[in-house]
Amino acid sequence: MKKIAVHLAEGFEEIEAISIIDVLRRAEFEVTVVSMIKSVEVDGAHEITVKADTLFDDMDYDKIDMIVLPGGMPGSANLKAHSGLREQILNFNDMKKPLAAICAAPMVFGNLGLLKEKQATCYPGFEDELHGAVITGEAVEEAENIITGKGAGVAIKFALKIVEKFKGKEVADELGAKMIVQ
């Protein structure tokens, strides 16, 4: 079973985080929700508090297959500022392990130089943060080991792209049909 870590920083976009966690668990991935602060209770951008499974400092990234970053502000800026997370992302990229970010969060990858000459998308207004990326404006993009998504309205399609990456298009399409994704 693939193990995916979804990271919550203060000010995360709730729709993105919960949609991603829900879809990936429906697809029978082992999802660990990681708090980027010193508490398992993390406040979202719209004052919804979510209880994470563990703290960043307690994570064993050797056992994780993919890092996922929900967006939102200031959540994405808080993810970008976290040196430990940046180090893990660089390690994953060096090993060609999958990475995914949606909304403003692709800026984390962009600021690390991981999107150079790769097709990517993000929330409008954050394009300058995707240093060297080929910005497409599409809902979801996949380039090599990196998946990016545009924003809250495409969170389920973004999560289904992650399902497709690991389990194939047929499984992702079946799950999408069960969820009445149109």
Side-chain angles (χ1 to χ4, degrees):
M1 180 183 298
K2 294 295 183 184
K3 298 178 180 182
I4 300 175
V6 178
H7 296 73
L8 302 184
E10 287 284 319
F12 67 92
E13 170 52 61
E14 295 94 338
I15 288 174
E16 294 164 3
I18 298 303
S19 296
I20 293 164
I21 294 163
D22 180 277
V23 170
L24 296 178
R25 287 186 175 165
R26 286 175 192 246
E28 300 180 351
F29 291 106
E30 185 176 320
V31 178
T32 302
V33 181
V34 182
S35 170
M36 302 308 295
I37 60 173
K38 300 294 182 194
S39 168
V40 292
E41 293 186 353
V42 186
D43 295 328
H46 303 99
E47 300 177 16
I48 299 172
T49 302
V50 173
K51 185 178 178 187
D53 298 313
T54 192
L55 303 178
F56 177 84
D57 292 339
D58 296 332
M59 274 299 293
D60 181 357
Y61 282 90
D62 292 335
K63 297 179 180 177
I64 297 298
D65 298 299
M66 181 180 218
I67 290 174
V68 178
L69 308 178
M73 286 302 280
S76 296
N78 290 332
L79 291 171
K80 183 175 94 169
H82 195 284
S83 62
L85 177 62
R86 289 194 318 265
E87 181 180 328
Q88 289 301 331
I89 290 167
L90 288 170
N91 289 340
F92 268 56
N93 192 65
D94 288 346
M95 293 184 285
K96 301 297 182 205
K97 290 173 85 172
L99 300 164
I102 187 170
C103 190
M107 74 178 183
V108 178
F109 301 157
N111 279 269
L112 291 171
L114 305 184
L115 298 177
K116 287 183 180 157
E117 300 179 16
K118 293 181 182 174
Q119 290 188 326
T121 193
C122 65
Y123 190 80
F126 287 89
E127 295 86 355
D128 289 346
E129 297 279 346
L130 276 61
H131 306 285
V134 178
I135 309 294
T136 67
E138 294 295 323
V140 179
E141 282 292 349
E142 182 176 10
E144 298 174 20
N145 63 314
I146 298 177
I147 298 171
T148 53
K150 197 165 188 176
V154 300
I156 292 174
K157 290 183 179 185
F158 172 80
L160 288 170
K161 180 56 88 172
I162 296 170
V163 173
E164 180 181 328
K165 181 159 194 72
F166 286 113
K167 294 192 172 190
K169 185 163 177 39
E170 185 176 324
V171 171
D173 288 348
E174 286 176 14
L175 180 57
K178 286 180 185 174
M179 297 174 62
I180 318 204
V181 176
Q182 299 184 13

